[in-house]
Amino acid sequence: MAMPPTEHEVWDRLRSMLRSAISHCGDLAKLPAQGPSYLAMIYELEEIEGDARWIGFNRQDARWNAFGWEMSSFRKRIGDALRAHHARTIFLHMQKMMQGALDEAEKMKNAKTGRRGPILPRTRPGPHRESRPVYVRPSGLLVPSTVQ
């Protein structure tokens, strides 16, 4: 049975995959043969997403899950960018975005959170709910009360 990776191994893989993805963004902007760089970048973005979700689960920090979701959406947009008319400028911009993601990951790794326990996303206000009283039938069916 294989041992689960340590946090240090996951951090190392996350940083190296982010650096490699930055390099592949530059290759996609400059090199005419885009297939190998595209396939490598798709693989790296999937690994980055998985590593970010692993860190989010083990640290109980939902910010890392949001980071993983951003990498997932970035992976989905790569193919559209490749087929665009101005792919060079798009990939140069994506290279800057990936560098920003690496900087953000480095900052979140060691930054103080200022709280104890899990870091959860802020709850949004719920949809409008009626405040009329209801009558519960013995069958469990909820019926709005007609008495105001």
Side-chain angles (χ1 to χ4, degrees):
M1 186 166 141
M3 295 292 296
T6 64
E7 187 171 353
H8 182 69
E9 292 170 343
V10 173
W11 281 111
D12 187 43
R13 185 172 58 210
L14 178 74
R15 278 193 301 265
S16 66
M17 290 286 181
L18 276 169
R19 287 185 186 119
S20 182
I22 291 167
S23 170
H24 285 302
C25 273
D27 291 345
L28 286 169
K30 297 171 188 164
L31 297 178
Q34 296 177 331
S37 295
Y38 172 73
L39 292 175
M41 187 153 180
I42 292 295
Y43 170 75
E44 288 160 357
L45 288 172
E46 288 174 354
E47 290 292 317
I48 292 167
E49 177 188 0
D51 290 343
R53 290 176 189 257
W54 187 92
I55 292 167
F57 176 77
N58 282 339
R59 286 193 166 196
Q60 296 181 347
D61 189 348
R63 297 175 301 168
W64 283 101
N65 293 333
F67 185 82
W69 183 83
E70 287 176 19
M71 293 297 116
S72 173
S73 65
F74 190 71
R75 179 177 53 88
K76 292 174 185 173
R77 291 181 292 180
I78 292 279
D80 294 336
L82 196 63
R83 292 180 288 276
H85 291 290
H86 301 288
R88 175 175 161 66
T89 56
I90 292 171
F91 280 113
L92 289 176
H93 181 68
M94 284 183 170
Q95 186 178 21
K96 291 177 187 173
M97 288 174 48
M98 291 298 291
Q99 183 62 46
L102 176 62
D103 295 342
E104 179 185 350
E106 290 289 340
K107 186 175 81 172
M108 277 196 327
K109 177 185 176 192
N110 297 322
K112 292 181 181 179
T113 60
R115 51 174 109 164
R116 290 180 183 221
I119 299 173
L120 302 172
R122 294 197 173 145
T123 56
R124 295 182 182 174
H128 176 70
R129 293 180 180 85
E130 292 188 26
S131 58
R132 310 188 284 179
V134 295
Y135 170 73
V136 181
R137 293 184 170 216
S139 66
L141 178 67
L142 297 174
V143 180
S145 176
T146 55
V147 179
Q148 299 255 346

mmCIF file of all heavy atoms in Angstrom, residues 72-114:
data_model
loop_
_atom_site.group_PDB
_atom_site.id
_atom_site.type_symbol
_atom_site.label_atom_id
_atom_site.label_comp_id
_atom_site.label_asym_id
_atom_site.label_seq_id
_atom_site.Cartn_x
_atom_site.Cartn_y
_atom_site.Cartn_z
ATOM 1 N N SER A 72 -8.779 24.857 -12.726
ATOM 2 C CA SER A 72 -9.664 24.030 -13.542
ATOM 3 C C SER A 72 -10.307 24.861 -14.647
ATOM 4 O O SER A 72 -10.371 24.429 -15.803
ATOM 5 C CB SER A 72 -10.741 23.411 -12.655
ATOM 6 O OG SER A 72 -11.701 22.752 -13.435
ATOM 7 N N SER A 73 -10.774 26.046 -14.316
ATOM 8 C CA SER A 73 -11.382 26.897 -15.349
ATOM 9 C C SER A 73 -10.328 27.397 -16.326
ATOM 10 O O SER A 73 -10.604 27.557 -17.520
ATOM 11 C CB SER A 73 -12.121 28.078 -14.708
ATOM 12 O OG SER A 73 -11.225 28.930 -14.046
ATOM 13 N N PHE A 74 -9.111 27.615 -15.846
ATOM 14 C CA PHE A 74 -8.009 28.007 -16.724
ATOM 15 C C PHE A 74 -7.717 26.901 -17.731
ATOM 16 O O PHE A 74 -7.512 27.153 -18.913
ATOM 17 C CB PHE A 74 -6.773 28.305 -15.869
ATOM 18 C CG PHE A 74 -5.647 28.945 -16.598
ATOM 19 C CD1 PHE A 74 -5.735 30.253 -17.024
ATOM 20 C CD2 PHE A 74 -4.482 28.246 -16.865
ATOM 21 C CE1 PHE A 74 -4.691 30.853 -17.693
ATOM 22 C CE2 PHE A 74 -3.440 28.831 -17.526
ATOM 23 C CZ PHE A 74 -3.544 30.146 -17.948
ATOM 24 N N ARG A 75 -7.747 25.660 -17.266
ATOM 25 C CA ARG A 75 -7.511 24.509 -18.148
ATOM 26 C C ARG A 75 -8.590 24.422 -19.223
ATOM 27 O O ARG A 75 -8.310 24.098 -20.378
ATOM 28 C CB ARG A 75 -7.505 23.228 -17.314
ATOM 29 C CG ARG A 75 -7.291 21.971 -18.114
ATOM 30 C CD ARG A 75 -7.216 20.745 -17.238
ATOM 31 N NE ARG A 75 -8.327 20.582 -16.338
ATOM 32 C CZ ARG A 75 -9.468 19.954 -16.640
ATOM 33 N NH1 ARG A 75 -9.631 19.433 -17.823
ATOM 34 N NH2 ARG A 75 -10.421 19.840 -15.746
ATOM 35 N N LYS A 76 -9.826 24.747 -18.883
ATOM 36 C CA LYS A 76 -10.916 24.690 -19.850
ATOM 37 C C LYS A 76 -10.788 25.791 -20.910
ATOM 38 O O LYS A 76 -11.241 25.623 -22.032
ATOM 39 C CB LYS A 76 -12.259 24.806 -19.140
ATOM 40 C CG LYS A 76 -12.567 23.597 -18.276
ATOM 41 C CD LYS A 76 -13.819 23.798 -17.475
ATOM 42 C CE LYS A 76 -14.031 22.631 -16.532
ATOM 43 N NZ LYS A 76 -15.149 22.871 -15.615
ATOM 44 N N ARG A 77 -10.179 26.921 -20.552
ATOM 45 C CA ARG A 77 -10.057 28.035 -21.495
ATOM 46 C C ARG A 77 -8.845 27.931 -22.410
ATOM 47 O O ARG A 77 -8.751 28.659 -23.396
ATOM 48 C CB ARG A 77 -9.971 29.351 -20.720
ATOM 49 C CG ARG A 77 -11.277 29.704 -20.043
ATOM 50 C CD ARG A 77 -11.146 30.999 -19.324
ATOM 51 N NE ARG A 77 -10.221 30.776 -18.199
ATOM 52 C CZ ARG A 77 -9.864 31.698 -17.342
ATOM 53 N NH1 ARG A 77 -10.319 32.906 -17.456
ATOM 54 N NH2 ARG A 77 -9.033 31.426 -16.356
ATOM 55 N N ILE A 78 -7.914 27.033 -22.109
ATOM 56 C CA ILE A 78 -6.685 26.920 -22.893
ATOM 57 C C ILE A 78 -6.989 26.572 -24.345
ATOM 58 O O ILE A 78 -6.426 27.148 -25.266
ATOM 59 C CB ILE A 78 -5.748 25.862 -22.271
ATOM 60 C CG1 ILE A 78 -5.237 26.350 -20.941
ATOM 61 C CG2 ILE A 78 -4.608 25.509 -23.191
ATOM 62 C CD1 ILE A 78 -4.098 27.294 -21.023
ATOM 63 N N GLY A 79 -7.875 25.604 -24.575
ATOM 64 C CA GLY A 79 -8.199 25.185 -25.939
ATOM 65 C C GLY A 79 -8.817 26.301 -26.745
ATOM 66 O O GLY A 79 -8.507 26.482 -27.934
ATOM 67 N N ASP A 80 -9.704 27.092 -26.116
ATOM 68 C CA ASP A 80 -10.304 28.224 -26.818
ATOM 69 C C ASP A 80 -9.253 29.262 -27.169
ATOM 70 O O ASP A 80 -9.288 29.858 -28.245
ATOM 71 C CB ASP A 80 -11.394 28.865 -25.959
ATOM 72 C CG ASP A 80 -12.581 27.949 -25.750
ATOM 73 O OD1 ASP A 80 -12.784 27.048 -26.599
ATOM 74 O OD2 ASP A 80 -13.294 28.118 -24.748
ATOM 75 N N ALA A 81 -8.316 29.474 -26.273
ATOM 76 C CA ALA A 81 -7.247 30.444 -26.535
ATOM 77 C C ALA A 81 -6.351 29.968 -27.668
ATOM 78 O O ALA A 81 -5.871 30.770 -28.476
ATOM 79 C CB ALA A 81 -6.431 30.679 -25.279
ATOM 80 N N LEU A 82 -6.137 28.667 -27.751
ATOM 81 C CA LEU A 82 -5.279 28.112 -28.797
ATOM 82 C C LEU A 82 -5.885 28.325 -30.184
ATOM 83 O O LEU A 82 -5.171 28.568 -31.150
ATOM 84 C CB LEU A 82 -5.064 26.614 -28.535
ATOM 85 C CG LEU A 82 -3.937 25.926 -29.262
ATOM 86 C CD1 LEU A 82 -2.615 26.537 -28.848
ATOM 87 C CD2 LEU A 82 -3.941 24.448 -28.938
ATOM 88 N N ARG A 83 -7.206 28.271 -30.275
ATOM 89 C CA ARG A 83 -7.890 28.429 -31.551
ATOM 90 C C ARG A 83 -8.218 29.885 -31.883
ATOM 91 O O ARG A 83 -8.768 30.158 -32.940
ATOM 92 C CB ARG A 83 -9.170 27.600 -31.542
ATOM 93 C CG ARG A 83 -8.891 26.114 -31.524
ATOM 94 C CD ARG A 83 -10.164 25.309 -31.523
ATOM 95 N NE ARG A 83 -10.891 25.363 -30.269
ATOM 96 C CZ ARG A 83 -10.644 24.584 -29.215
ATOM 97 N NH1 ARG A 83 -9.679 23.696 -29.273
ATOM 98 N NH2 ARG A 83 -11.360 24.683 -28.122
ATOM 99 N N ALA A 84 -7.910 30.805 -30.983
ATOM 100 C CA ALA A 84 -8.231 32.217 -31.195
ATOM 101 C C ALA A 84 -7.299 32.831 -32.235
ATOM 102 O O ALA A 84 -6.229 32.301 -32.535
ATOM 103 C CB ALA A 84 -8.122 32.982 -29.882
ATOM 104 N N HIS A 85 -7.710 33.961 -32.780
ATOM 105 C CA HIS A 85 -6.914 34.637 -33.815
ATOM 106 C C HIS A 85 -5.649 35.270 -33.254
ATOM 107 O O HIS A 85 -4.633 35.318 -33.915
ATOM 108 C CB HIS A 85 -7.757 35.710 -34.509
ATOM 109 C CG HIS A 85 -8.850 35.130 -35.341
ATOM 110 N ND1 HIS A 85 -8.611 34.440 -36.505
ATOM 111 C CD2 HIS A 85 -10.189 35.121 -35.170
ATOM 112 C CE1 HIS A 85 -9.746 34.041 -37.021
ATOM 113 N NE2 HIS A 85 -10.733 34.444 -36.222
ATOM 114 N N HIS A 86 -5.713 35.776 -32.044
ATOM 115 C CA HIS A 86 -4.559 36.433 -31.436
ATOM 116 C C HIS A 86 -4.029 35.597 -30.279
ATOM 117 O O HIS A 86 -3.921 36.066 -29.146
ATOM 118 C CB HIS A 86 -4.933 37.831 -30.948
ATOM 119 C CG HIS A 86 -5.449 38.702 -32.049
ATOM 120 N ND1 HIS A 86 -4.632 39.212 -33.020
ATOM 121 C CD2 HIS A 86 -6.704 39.127 -32.345
ATOM 122 C CE1 HIS A 86 -5.353 39.924 -33.857
ATOM 123 N NE2 HIS A 86 -6.620 39.880 -33.468
ATOM 124 N N ALA A 87 -3.688 34.345 -30.559
ATOM 125 C CA ALA A 87 -3.269 33.416 -29.507
ATOM 126 C C ALA A 87 -1.986 33.875 -28.823
ATOM 127 O O ALA A 87 -1.813 33.658 -27.628
ATOM 128 C CB ALA A 87 -3.088 32.018 -30.084
ATOM 129 N N ARG A 88 -1.087 34.508 -29.556
ATOM 130 C CA ARG A 88 0.177 34.934 -28.959
ATOM 131 C C ARG A 88 -0.047 35.891 -27.800
ATOM 132 O O ARG A 88 0.499 35.703 -26.716
ATOM 133 C CB ARG A 88 1.061 35.574 -30.027
ATOM 134 C CG ARG A 88 2.347 36.150 -29.478
ATOM 135 C CD ARG A 88 3.246 36.672 -30.593
ATOM 136 N NE ARG A 88 4.252 37.597 -30.150
ATOM 137 C CZ ARG A 88 5.261 37.318 -29.349
ATOM 138 N NH1 ARG A 88 5.378 36.115 -28.853
ATOM 139 N NH2 ARG A 88 6.147 38.231 -29.009
ATOM 140 N N THR A 89 -0.855 36.908 -28.017
ATOM 141 C CA THR A 89 -1.092 37.884 -26.947
ATOM 142 C C THR A 89 -1.876 37.258 -25.799
ATOM 143 O O THR A 89 -1.640 37.585 -24.636
ATOM 144 C CB THR A 89 -1.845 39.110 -27.481
ATOM 145 O OG1 THR A 89 -3.056 38.676 -28.100
ATOM 146 C CG2 THR A 89 -1.016 39.871 -28.495
ATOM 147 N N ILE A 90 -2.785 36.336 -26.124
ATOM 148 C CA ILE A 90 -3.561 35.670 -25.069
ATOM 149 C C ILE A 90 -2.640 34.842 -24.182
ATOM 150 O O ILE A 90 -2.733 34.901 -22.950
ATOM 151 C CB ILE A 90 -4.671 34.801 -25.687
ATOM 152 C CG1 ILE A 90 -5.722 35.691 -26.350
ATOM 153 C CG2 ILE A 90 -5.318 33.909 -24.635
ATOM 154 C CD1 ILE A 90 -6.747 34.938 -27.172
ATOM 155 N N PHE A 91 -1.732 34.073 -24.789
ATOM 156 C CA PHE A 91 -0.849 33.227 -23.982
ATOM 157 C C PHE A 91 0.193 34.034 -23.225
ATOM 158 O O PHE A 91 0.607 33.626 -22.133
ATOM 159 C CB PHE A 91 -0.202 32.144 -24.845
ATOM 160 C CG PHE A 91 -1.114 30.992 -25.097
ATOM 161 C CD1 PHE A 91 -1.600 30.727 -26.358
ATOM 162 C CD2 PHE A 91 -1.512 30.170 -24.059
ATOM 163 C CE1 PHE A 91 -2.460 29.673 -26.581
ATOM 164 C CE2 PHE A 91 -2.363 29.107 -24.262
ATOM 165 C CZ PHE A 91 -2.843 28.864 -25.534
ATOM 166 N N LEU A 92 0.607 35.163 -23.767
ATOM 167 C CA LEU A 92 1.516 36.018 -22.994
ATOM 168 C C LEU A 92 0.801 36.575 -21.769
ATOM 169 O O LEU A 92 1.387 36.682 -20.686
ATOM 170 C CB LEU A 92 2.070 37.137 -23.875
ATOM 171 C CG LEU A 92 3.074 36.699 -24.942
ATOM 172 C CD1 LEU A 92 3.475 37.875 -25.814
ATOM 173 C CD2 LEU A 92 4.307 36.064 -24.299
ATOM 174 N N HIS A 93 -0.478 36.921 -21.935
ATOM 175 C CA HIS A 93 -1.261 37.387 -20.790
ATOM 176 C C HIS A 93 -1.493 36.248 -19.794
ATOM 177 O O HIS A 93 -1.424 36.452 -18.580
ATOM 178 C CB HIS A 93 -2.594 37.963 -21.274
ATOM 179 C CG HIS A 93 -3.450 38.484 -20.168
ATOM 180 N ND1 HIS A 93 -3.115 39.601 -19.429
ATOM 181 C CD2 HIS A 93 -4.611 38.032 -19.645
ATOM 182 C CE1 HIS A 93 -4.029 39.813 -18.518
ATOM 183 N NE2 HIS A 93 -4.960 38.866 -18.638
ATOM 184 N N MET A 94 -1.760 35.044 -20.314
ATOM 185 C CA MET A 94 -1.946 33.889 -19.431
ATOM 186 C C MET A 94 -0.661 33.569 -18.670
ATOM 187 O O MET A 94 -0.703 33.113 -17.528
ATOM 188 C CB MET A 94 -2.403 32.671 -20.226
ATOM 189 C CG MET A 94 -3.843 32.718 -20.636
ATOM 190 S SD MET A 94 -4.295 31.195 -21.482
ATOM 191 C CE MET A 94 -6.059 31.373 -21.580
ATOM 192 N N GLN A 95 0.480 33.810 -19.303
ATOM 193 C CA GLN A 95 1.756 33.583 -18.627
ATOM 194 C C GLN A 95 1.877 34.508 -17.416
ATOM 195 O O GLN A 95 2.305 34.088 -16.339
ATOM 196 C CB GLN A 95 2.899 33.811 -19.604
ATOM 197 C CG GLN A 95 4.252 33.461 -19.061
ATOM 198 C CD GLN A 95 5.356 33.666 -20.091
ATOM 199 O OE1 GLN A 95 5.199 34.414 -21.052
ATOM 200 N NE2 GLN A 95 6.465 32.981 -19.894
ATOM 201 N N LYS A 96 1.461 35.759 -17.580
ATOM 202 C CA LYS A 96 1.481 36.695 -16.453
ATOM 203 C C LYS A 96 0.497 36.267 -15.367
ATOM 204 O O LYS A 96 0.769 36.388 -14.172
ATOM 205 C CB LYS A 96 1.148 38.101 -16.932
ATOM 206 C CG LYS A 96 2.219 38.720 -17.788
ATOM 207 C CD LYS A 96 1.803 40.079 -18.285
ATOM 208 C CE LYS A 96 2.810 40.615 -19.280
ATOM 209 N NZ LYS A 96 2.346 41.866 -19.910
ATOM 210 N N MET A 97 -0.663 35.757 -15.799
ATOM 211 C CA MET A 97 -1.657 35.290 -14.827
ATOM 212 C C MET A 97 -1.141 34.095 -14.036
ATOM 213 O O MET A 97 -1.353 34.004 -12.821
ATOM 214 C CB MET A 97 -2.964 34.921 -15.536
ATOM 215 C CG MET A 97 -3.743 36.111 -16.053
ATOM 216 S SD MET A 97 -5.193 35.656 -17.032
ATOM 217 C CE MET A 97 -5.990 34.443 -16.034
ATOM 218 N N MET A 98 -0.451 33.187 -14.708
ATOM 219 C CA MET A 98 0.096 32.025 -14.019
ATOM 220 C C MET A 98 1.213 32.443 -13.053
ATOM 221 O O MET A 98 1.360 31.862 -11.979
ATOM 222 C CB MET A 98 0.628 31.001 -15.022
ATOM 223 C CG MET A 98 -0.444 30.322 -15.835
ATOM 224 S SD MET A 98 -1.603 29.379 -14.846
ATOM 225 C CE MET A 98 -0.571 28.054 -14.306
ATOM 226 N N GLN A 99 2.008 33.441 -13.430
ATOM 227 C CA GLN A 99 3.032 33.954 -12.523
ATOM 228 C C GLN A 99 2.371 34.554 -11.287
ATOM 229 O O GLN A 99 2.842 34.370 -10.164
ATOM 230 C CB GLN A 99 3.907 35.001 -13.229
ATOM 231 C CG GLN A 99 5.032 35.527 -12.378
ATOM 232 C CD GLN A 99 6.021 34.450 -11.972
ATOM 233 O OE1 GLN A 99 6.448 33.651 -12.793
ATOM 234 N NE2 GLN A 99 6.376 34.413 -10.700
ATOM 235 N N GLY A 100 1.253 35.248 -11.487
ATOM 236 C CA GLY A 100 0.493 35.775 -10.356
ATOM 237 C C GLY A 100 -0.061 34.665 -9.472
ATOM 238 O O GLY A 100 -0.105 34.791 -8.245
ATOM 239 N N ALA A 101 -0.488 33.563 -10.097
ATOM 240 C CA ALA A 101 -0.993 32.422 -9.324
ATOM 241 C C ALA A 101 0.126 31.798 -8.491
ATOM 242 O O ALA A 101 -0.092 31.400 -7.338
ATOM 243 C CB ALA A 101 -1.613 31.383 -10.252
ATOM 244 N N LEU A 102 1.325 31.706 -9.061
ATOM 245 C CA LEU A 102 2.465 31.176 -8.308
ATOM 246 C C LEU A 102 2.793 32.089 -7.132
ATOM 247 O O LEU A 102 3.015 31.617 -6.009
ATOM 248 C CB LEU A 102 3.684 31.021 -9.219
ATOM 249 C CG LEU A 102 4.980 30.569 -8.557
ATOM 250 C CD1 LEU A 102 4.829 29.189 -7.944
ATOM 251 C CD2 LEU A 102 6.115 30.579 -9.559
ATOM 252 N N ASP A 103 2.787 33.393 -7.369
ATOM 253 C CA ASP A 103 3.058 34.338 -6.280
ATOM 254 C C ASP A 103 1.994 34.246 -5.192
ATOM 255 O O ASP A 103 2.292 34.301 -4.002
ATOM 256 C CB ASP A 103 3.133 35.766 -6.831
ATOM 257 C CG ASP A 103 4.301 35.969 -7.782
ATOM 258 O OD1 ASP A 103 5.243 35.145 -7.763
ATOM 259 O OD2 ASP A 103 4.253 36.936 -8.575
ATOM 260 N N GLU A 104 0.726 34.087 -5.606
ATOM 261 C CA GLU A 104 -0.361 33.962 -4.641
ATOM 262 C C GLU A 104 -0.221 32.683 -3.820
ATOM 263 O O GLU A 104 -0.441 32.686 -2.607
ATOM 264 C CB GLU A 104 -1.698 33.958 -5.383
ATOM 265 C CG GLU A 104 -2.900 33.820 -4.491
ATOM 266 C CD GLU A 104 -4.184 33.705 -5.284
ATOM 267 O OE1 GLU A 104 -4.173 33.916 -6.502
ATOM 268 O OE2 GLU A 104 -5.207 33.380 -4.658
ATOM 269 N N ALA A 105 0.168 31.592 -4.466
ATOM 270 C CA ALA A 105 0.350 30.327 -3.754
ATOM 271 C C ALA A 105 1.486 30.434 -2.743
ATOM 272 O O ALA A 105 1.373 29.942 -1.615
ATOM 273 C CB ALA A 105 0.619 29.196 -4.742
ATOM 274 N N GLU A 106 2.578 31.070 -3.139
ATOM 275 C CA GLU A 106 3.708 31.252 -2.213
ATOM 276 C C GLU A 106 3.291 32.108 -1.026
ATOM 277 O O GLU A 106 3.697 31.853 0.109
ATOM 278 C CB GLU A 106 4.894 31.897 -2.940
ATOM 279 C CG GLU A 106 5.564 31.000 -3.949
ATOM 280 C CD GLU A 106 6.360 29.874 -3.309
ATOM 281 O OE1 GLU A 106 6.721 29.974 -2.126
ATOM 282 O OE2 GLU A 106 6.617 28.886 -4.011
ATOM 283 N N LYS A 107 2.472 33.128 -1.285
ATOM 284 C CA LYS A 107 2.032 34.011 -0.214
ATOM 285 C C LYS A 107 1.072 33.284 0.734
ATOM 286 O O LYS A 107 1.190 33.394 1.948
ATOM 287 C CB LYS A 107 1.358 35.248 -0.811
ATOM 288 C CG LYS A 107 0.993 36.308 0.221
ATOM 289 C CD LYS A 107 0.440 37.537 -0.447
ATOM 290 C CE LYS A 107 -1.017 37.284 -0.751
ATOM 291 N NZ LYS A 107 -1.731 38.451 -1.233
ATOM 292 N N MET A 108 0.131 32.509 0.176
ATOM 293 C CA MET A 108 -0.850 31.810 1.015
ATOM 294 C C MET A 108 -0.227 30.676 1.812
ATOM 295 O O MET A 108 -0.762 30.276 2.837
ATOM 296 C CB MET A 108 -1.992 31.251 0.157
ATOM 297 C CG MET A 108 -3.040 32.266 -0.150
ATOM 298 S SD MET A 108 -4.621 31.628 -0.767
ATOM 299 C CE MET A 108 -4.268 30.200 -1.709
ATOM 300 N N LYS A 109 0.889 30.159 1.334
ATOM 301 C CA LYS A 109 1.509 29.025 2.024
ATOM 302 C C LYS A 109 1.916 29.388 3.440
ATOM 303 O O LYS A 109 1.644 28.653 4.381
ATOM 304 C CB LYS A 109 2.732 28.540 1.248
ATOM 305 C CG LYS A 109 3.449 27.413 1.949
ATOM 306 C CD LYS A 109 4.713 27.034 1.244
ATOM 307 C CE LYS A 109 5.434 25.966 2.052
ATOM 308 N NZ LYS A 109 6.775 25.756 1.586
ATOM 309 N N ASN A 110 2.566 30.518 3.606
ATOM 310 C CA ASN A 110 3.127 30.876 4.911
ATOM 311 C C ASN A 110 2.452 32.063 5.581
ATOM 312 O O ASN A 110 2.882 32.474 6.649
ATOM 313 C CB ASN A 110 4.617 31.164 4.769
ATOM 314 C CG ASN A 110 5.382 29.941 4.326
ATOM 315 O OD1 ASN A 110 5.097 28.829 4.741
ATOM 316 N ND2 ASN A 110 6.352 30.146 3.442
ATOM 317 N N ALA A 111 1.433 32.615 4.963
ATOM 318 C CA ALA A 111 0.787 33.794 5.535
ATOM 319 C C ALA A 111 -0.043 33.429 6.762
ATOM 320 O O ALA A 111 -0.617 32.343 6.837
ATOM 321 C CB ALA A 111 -0.103 34.456 4.489
ATOM 322 N N LYS A 112 -0.090 34.327 7.714
ATOM 323 C CA LYS A 112 -0.917 34.124 8.891
ATOM 324 C C LYS A 112 -2.376 34.319 8.495
ATOM 325 O O LYS A 112 -2.713 35.217 7.737
ATOM 326 C CB LYS A 112 -0.548 35.131 9.974
ATOM 327 C CG LYS A 112 0.824 34.914 10.558
ATOM 328 C CD LYS A 112 1.087 35.929 11.635
ATOM 329 C CE LYS A 112 2.468 35.736 12.222
ATOM 330 N NZ LYS A 112 2.759 36.721 13.255
ATOM 331 N N THR A 113 -3.231 33.470 9.027
ATOM 332 C CA THR A 113 -4.647 33.582 8.701
ATOM 333 C C THR A 113 -5.396 34.443 9.702
ATOM 334 O O THR A 113 -6.437 34.999 9.376
ATOM 335 C CB THR A 113 -5.310 32.190 8.661
ATOM 336 O OG1 THR A 113 -5.165 31.583 9.940
ATOM 337 C CG2 THR A 113 -4.687 31.334 7.584
ATOM 338 N N GLY A 114 -4.897 34.522 10.931
ATOM 339 C CA GLY A 114 -5.552 35.338 11.928
ATOM 340 C C GLY A 114 -6.748 34.667 12.573
ATOM 341 O O GLY A 114 -7.523 35.304 13.273
#
